[in-house]
């Protein structure tokens, strides 16, 4: 009987210790949760400040565009904000061109569209349409160089290296010049036309105020604006080819 009492007392003590332990653990967990909550709140405040700084910087840039437009009416926008062309066009539909950071070619083309460079008859012996070795009515249009495939019988990847695509706007500008020079049929060539743009992750560029991705299907849409025949060569049936 004495032994039974002792065992029951032990059980009561054990239960009490267990409850104390659980209570202690609960407090620690609550403290951890409070700490995480505070860190989340601090992050949230930091994010809000960054967002406000970002919004202020965007607004400042938009205001600068507006000021420049008011001053001379001809504005070319380039740089980081150029990535948000929709935002700029919505605020200022009259800007002449919008391009993203490091897109030097687009900037120069936009400048030359407004201020055509003066020709020097002694230096500029190449016509605007370039030098063509094909008859007047057709021309080859090279859209990329090299190939990422490794067909065992082929030496091209060793000679030309991996795929390097020209940007869509660059190709479309050349195609436009050729069409304006009298070409009626464009023969689109490369080593692997289906892979066009894979190397640049189908980067987007602007041509005549519209964005085109460096991708075969969108390039075709741009070429279809020129009113000439377009013949695609070396198109292989990859899954991504529509
Ligand atoms: S896809 Fe054409 S160019 Fe590329 S490795 Fe094969 S055969 Fe050569």
């Amino acid at each position: 009987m004495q032994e039974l009492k002792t065992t029951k007392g032990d059980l009561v003590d054990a239960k009490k210790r267990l409850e104390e332990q659980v209570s202690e653990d609960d407090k620690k967990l609550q403290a951890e949760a409070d700490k995480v909550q505070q860190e989340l709140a601090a992050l949230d405040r930091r994010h809000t400040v960054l967002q406000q700084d970002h919004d202020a910087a965007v607004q400042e840039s938009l205001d600068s565009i507006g000021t420049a437009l008011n001053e001379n009416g001809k504005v070319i926008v380039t740089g980081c904000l150029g990535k948000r062309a929709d935002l700029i066009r919505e605020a200022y539909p009259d800007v002449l061109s919008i391009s993203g950071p490091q897109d030097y070619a687009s900037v120069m083309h936009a400048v030359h569209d407004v201020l055509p460079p003066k020709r020097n008859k002694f230096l500029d012996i190449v016509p605007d349409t370039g030098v063509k070795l094909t008859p007047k009515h057709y021309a080859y249009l090279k859209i990329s160089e090299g190939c990422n495939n490794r067909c065992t019988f082929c030496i091209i990847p060793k000679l030309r290296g991996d795929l390097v695509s020209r940007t869509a706007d660059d190709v479309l500008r050349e195609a436009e010049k050729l069409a304006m020079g009298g070409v009626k049929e464009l023969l689109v060539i490369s080593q692997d036309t289906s892979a066009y743009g894979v190397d640049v992750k189908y980067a987007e560029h602007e041509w005549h105020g519209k964005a085109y991705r460096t991708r075969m299907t969108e390039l075709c849409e741009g070429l279809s604006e020129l009113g000439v025949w377009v013949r695609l060569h070396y198109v292989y049936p990859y899954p991504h080819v529509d």
Side-chain angles (χ1 to χ4, degrees), residues 132-135 138-143 166 174 178 183 185-189 233:
K132 235 163 48 64
L133 301 178
T134 49
Y138 73 86
Y140 291 100
L141 184 64
K142 187 125 196 189
I143 62 171
R166 294 172 62 195
E174 182 186 344
L178 290 167
V183 166
E185 180 174 1
L186 290 168
L187 307 175
V188 175
I189 55 167
H233 291 256

Side-chain angles (χ1 to χ4, degrees), residues 50-231:
L50 284 174
Q51 187 65 47
Q52 285 167 346
D53 287 351
H54 169 267
D55 292 348
V58 168
Q59 191 53 51
E60 190 180 334
S61 300
L62 287 173
D63 290 347
S64 301
I65 295 169
T67 305
L69 270 172
N70 286 337
E71 281 177 9
N72 75 6
K74 290 184 179 175
V75 173
I76 291 167
V77 180
T78 189
C80 300
L81 193 62
K83 287 272 181 196
R84 301 183 63 187
D86 291 348
L87 183 77
I88 298 169
R89 283 255 173 255
E90 195 183 335
Y92 304 109
D94 294 336
V95 293
L96 298 172
S97 157
I98 302 171
S99 52
Q102 279 106 43
D103 194 354
Y104 310 115
S106 293
V107 177
M108 288 316 297
H109 283 295
V111 170
H112 288 159
D113 278 349
V114 186
L115 289 174
K118 287 187 182 141
R119 294 194 68 82
N120 181 323
K121 64 181 178 180
F122 299 111
L123 298 175
D124 300 328
I125 55 172
V126 179
D128 282 344
T129 49
V131 175
K132 235 163 48 64
L133 301 178
T134 49
K136 186 173 162 53
H137 65 286
Y138 73 86
Y140 291 100
L141 184 64
K142 187 125 196 189
I143 62 171
S144 65
E145 191 65 84
C147 181
N148 289 344
N149 297 324
R150 295 293 182 266
C151 302
T152 49
F153 55 83
C154 178
I155 197 175
I156 283 177
K158 282 203 178 89
L159 296 177
R160 304 284 171 96
D162 285 338
L163 178 78
V164 177
S165 301
R166 294 172 62 195
T167 58
D169 60 321
D170 191 30
V171 175
L172 288 168
R173 268 192 290 270
E174 182 186 344
E176 186 177 32
K177 276 186 188 169
L178 290 167
M180 284 163 56
V183 166
K184 302 290 180 215
E185 180 174 1
L186 290 168
L187 307 175
V188 175
I189 55 167
S190 67
Q191 268 83 50
D192 185 2
T193 299
S194 310
Y196 174 59
V198 166
D199 54 316
V200 292
K201 299 188 172 51
Y202 307 120
E204 197 172 86
H205 293 272
E206 196 177 286
W207 179 64
H208 288 320
K210 189 175 164 195
Y212 290 87
R213 299 187 81 194
T214 305
R215 191 183 191 116
M216 192 182 69
T217 45
E218 295 197 26
L219 181 69
C220 289
E221 283 174 26
L223 292 174
S224 71
E225 303 281 318
L226 300 175
V228 298
W229 281 85
V230 176
R231 195 185 292 260

